[in-house]
Amino acid sequence: MGTNVLSDADKRVIIAKRAAREIKNGDYVNLGIGIPTLIPNFLPKNVEVILHTENGMLGYGPYPFEGDEDPDLINAGKETVTELPGCCYFGSQDSFAIVRGGHLDATVLGSMEVSETGDIANWMIPGKKVRGMGGAMDMVAGTKKVIVAMEHTTKEGSPKILKKCTLPLTGKGVVHVIVTEFATFDVTPTGLVLRDKESGISLDELAKITEPAFKNR
């Protein structure tokens, strides 16, 4: 496979499929903007989850078919979604009470950087216009399992998994699992542990695009 063969679309699908494996049947899950929103399309048939959005929707489904969109049914990224049986709605205060009360089993977020100790930087780049931090800081602080689903490197080929984040942090020591198009890492007290990798990339190739050292399970 190498590290430069995949298209952006291929990477997004591979990452979403990998991240979907981290979700367990019956989990209450929040999906961040970007790659994580693809996950409902790749959940195994025997896995049913209850999806939560910060804007006050619980129990939504995948993207609607073209022509079936309802502009009133949107996720936190303002993308149209579908209702599932039992779907319910509430205000932002209740939505964030779910998060801050520790009622979410998992959240899947994209990120610009993640450190070997589980720090995450995904809300701003200094000097660039930012609309706001959104709910990411609440998510990483209040959710039982934090999964990062992101491309392994920047567009320039620099590692996004770092010894130490260089961008402003969203949370410190909060990430449990890192999922990329090439590998899945567990974040442990003794460092990163490679759980699995794509067959088309060697350990040496993976090490070259991952700044910290990692153990091979």
Side-chain angles (χ1 to χ4, degrees):
M1 180 186 298
T3 58
N4 297 308
V5 176
L6 297 170
S7 68
D8 288 344
D10 287 338
K11 290 178 183 178
R12 288 168 60 86
V13 169
I14 292 171
I15 297 167
K17 285 182 177 179
R18 273 185 174 280
R21 302 174 197 164
E22 301 298 316
I23 308 301
K24 297 179 181 179
N25 188 51
D27 277 354
Y28 285 77
V29 182
N30 181 281
L31 301 177
I33 297 169
I35 292 172
T37 61
L38 301 176
I39 288 175
N41 296 312
F42 299 110
L43 289 171
K45 291 183 179 179
N46 62 336
V47 173
E48 293 185 7
V49 301
I50 299 90
L51 297 177
H52 164 274
T53 71
E54 297 99 302
N55 58 327
M57 192 174 180
L58 188 67
Y60 72 91
Y63 295 129
F65 291 109
E66 186 175 355
D68 292 337
E69 300 93 340
D70 183 338
D72 290 327
L73 301 181
I74 59 172
N75 60 23
K78 296 183 173 59
E79 300 171 304
T80 52
V81 292
T82 54
E83 293 176 311
L84 294 179
C87 176
C88 59
Y89 304 91
F90 34 79
S92 294
Q93 72 279 5
D94 293 316
S95 180
F96 278 90
I98 290 173
V99 180
R100 295 168 183 169
H103 303 294
L104 291 181
D105 297 296
T107 185
V108 189
L109 302 169
S111 189
M112 294 173 282
E113 295 178 348
V114 182
S115 79
E116 63 182 335
T117 57
D119 300 344
I120 177 174
N122 78 338
W123 76 279
M124 74 166 296
I125 297 176
K128 291 194 175 183
K129 186 176 181 180
V130 181
R131 293 183 180 178
M133 65 184 68
M137 291 184 180
D138 287 279
M139 294 300 161
V140 300
T143 308
K144 296 171 186 174
K145 182 178 181 180
V146 177
I147 303 158
V148 167
M150 67 177 189
E151 293 184 6
H152 206 101
T153 64
T154 66
K155 293 187 181 299
E156 295 72 34
S158 300
K160 294 175 67 174
I161 303 175
L162 306 174
K163 293 180 180 179
K164 185 176 181 180
C165 293
T166 63
L167 297 173
L169 295 182
T170 308
K172 191 171 179 64
V174 293
V175 177
H176 299 89
V177 181
I178 305 170
V179 179
T180 77
E181 69 271 33
F182 297 123
T184 300
F185 295 94
D186 290 314
V187 181
T188 77
T190 57
L192 297 180
V193 176
L194 176 64
R195 193 195 310 165
D196 63 65
K197 69 175 183 66
E198 288 294 319
S199 59
I201 187 170
S202 68
L203 284 173
D204 286 341
E205 288 176 315
L206 190 61
K208 288 179 181 178
I209 57 174
T210 308
E211 186 179 79
F214 54 84
K215 299 175 184 177
N216 186 13
R217 177 174 291 179

